[in-house]
Amino acid sequence: MGFVAALFWGGTDFLVGLNARAVGVKRAVFFGQALGFILMSALLLIYPAYLVKSLSAPVQVWVLGGIAAIFTVAGALALSKAFALGKAAIVAPLVTSYGVFTTALAWASGDIIVLTQFVGIGVCVIGVLLTSAHDSAEGELKRKNKASIIYGLLAAILYGTSFWIQGKYTLPSLGPITMLWLGYAVGLFILFFMVLKIDSGLKLPPAKSFGTLTSASLLNLGGFSAFSFGAIHGSVSVVTVISTLSGGIAAVLGYLFFKERLLPIQVSGICLVLVGAVILHLFH
């Protein structure tokens, strides 16, 4: 299930860049949120027990869930921008470093962090620095590559913060299904007002983009479903570690379809980021 989640999320990351370039960052995320909200609402209607159980959660848990959802949608916007500007081979592995920020927040809030996790953080940081090494690109292309790295790290920070809030405060009470529905609902509400300001923002995407938008949303849901199934019926740490391969899968897809070229030092950095992420998740 961890490997299936990695395949789905790797495919999602690959399609995110295509969608952002085709219909714009905000519209791409908006349509993805809309489809996810529809699907999760249908799931809660079919299995209302999930929603009924979560209704007993305190109000502050729902508020924290809403805050986590805001971080998630902000992370999705940053991620789409990163993929629209830069190479999937660099951006996707960078985002897997979200574990650094989740672990750092856990440590800051009083959790005990073992030496191995600090090693994982250090490996990730070194990997990020190497990944950021300048390539032979000039002018506008170099600027876009730098910006994509900044947006990719911003997405990792936002996702890491969201996952920390969910893991510590909301998931135990709301459960994964209701929390995912809340995330889509809040994201859709925020993005609705953002796309209203864009010309033809609410207009349906062209037919050629509709397929990739739908595929990205379904792959994302498929990845989450596989991850949840594996976590429930197996080891959370093992599923999480294997799902981290999604960054590598997106990088391979970027190379195969877009012929993205990287410097050897950047490849080394990408490998270190993935290794650091695995270390963090393995000893979480």
Side-chain angles (χ1 to χ4, degrees):
M1 286 298 101
F3 185 66
V4 171
L7 287 173
F8 282 162
W9 280 334
T12 302
D13 288 345
F14 173 71
L15 291 174
V16 161
L18 290 176
N19 293 333
R21 286 188 285 269
V23 302
V25 171
K26 293 175 183 177
R27 291 184 72 213
V29 178
F30 172 75
F31 288 119
Q33 292 280 319
L35 181 57
F37 176 74
I38 292 170
L39 292 174
M40 294 311 299
S41 297
L43 190 62
L44 284 177
L45 287 174
I46 297 171
Y47 301 103
Y50 290 114
L51 183 59
V52 172
K53 180 183 177 182
S54 61
L55 289 175
S56 60
V59 174
Q60 56 265 35
V61 171
W62 283 91
V63 172
L64 286 169
I67 293 172
I70 292 172
F71 279 115
T72 298
V73 73
L77 288 169
L79 182 63
S80 292
K81 185 71 172 179
F83 277 118
L85 291 173
K87 300 175 180 178
I90 290 179
V91 176
L94 280 181
V95 178
T96 63
S97 67
Y98 69 83
V100 169
F101 305 102
T102 302
T103 303
L105 285 169
W107 176 63
S109 63
D111 288 4
I112 297 174
I113 305 300
V114 298
L115 178 61
T116 314
Q117 289 176 304
F118 280 114
V119 171
I121 290 175
V123 171
C124 272
V125 171
I126 294 171
V128 168
L129 292 174
L130 293 179
T131 304
S132 307
H134 298 305
D135 54 23
S136 58
E138 295 295 337
E140 182 69 9
L141 184 58
K142 180 175 281 189
R143 187 191 67 78
K144 285 185 176 181
N145 287 341
K146 288 181 180 178
S148 71
I149 291 171
I150 293 171
Y151 278 112
L153 286 174
L154 177 60
I157 293 170
L158 292 166
Y159 280 136
T161 304
S162 177
F163 291 149
W164 173 71
I165 294 172
Q166 292 181 52
K168 191 172 181 66
Y169 299 108
T170 65
L171 281 174
S173 299
L174 298 182
I177 303 298
T178 303
M179 184 60 229
L180 192 58
W181 174 84
L182 179 63
Y184 280 124
V186 172
L188 186 61
F189 178 77
I190 293 172
L191 286 161
F192 175 77
F193 294 100
M194 294 177 72
V195 297
L196 270 181
K197 299 178 181 179
I198 303 172
D199 291 337
S200 303
L202 295 176
K203 184 181 178 181
L204 286 176
K208 62 180 181 180
S209 299
F210 192 80
T212 54
L213 285 164
T214 304
S215 297
S217 187
L218 291 177
L219 284 172
N220 188 38
L221 277 174
F224 181 83
S225 300
F227 180 90
S228 300
F229 185 84
I232 292 170
H233 296 281
S235 168
V236 175
S237 60
V238 171
V239 174
T240 306
V241 167
I242 297 175
S243 68
T244 307
L245 292 171
S246 60
I249 290 169
V252 170
L253 290 172
Y255 174 78
L256 291 176
F257 288 93
F258 296 143
K259 303 300 180 186
E260 295 178 344
R261 301 292 178 180
L262 300 172
L263 295 174
I265 191 172
Q266 291 177 307
V267 175
S268 300
I270 289 169
C271 293
L272 283 177
V273 170
L274 289 173
V275 168
V278 168
I279 292 172
L280 278 170
H281 291 310
L282 195 59
F283 294 94
H284 179 61

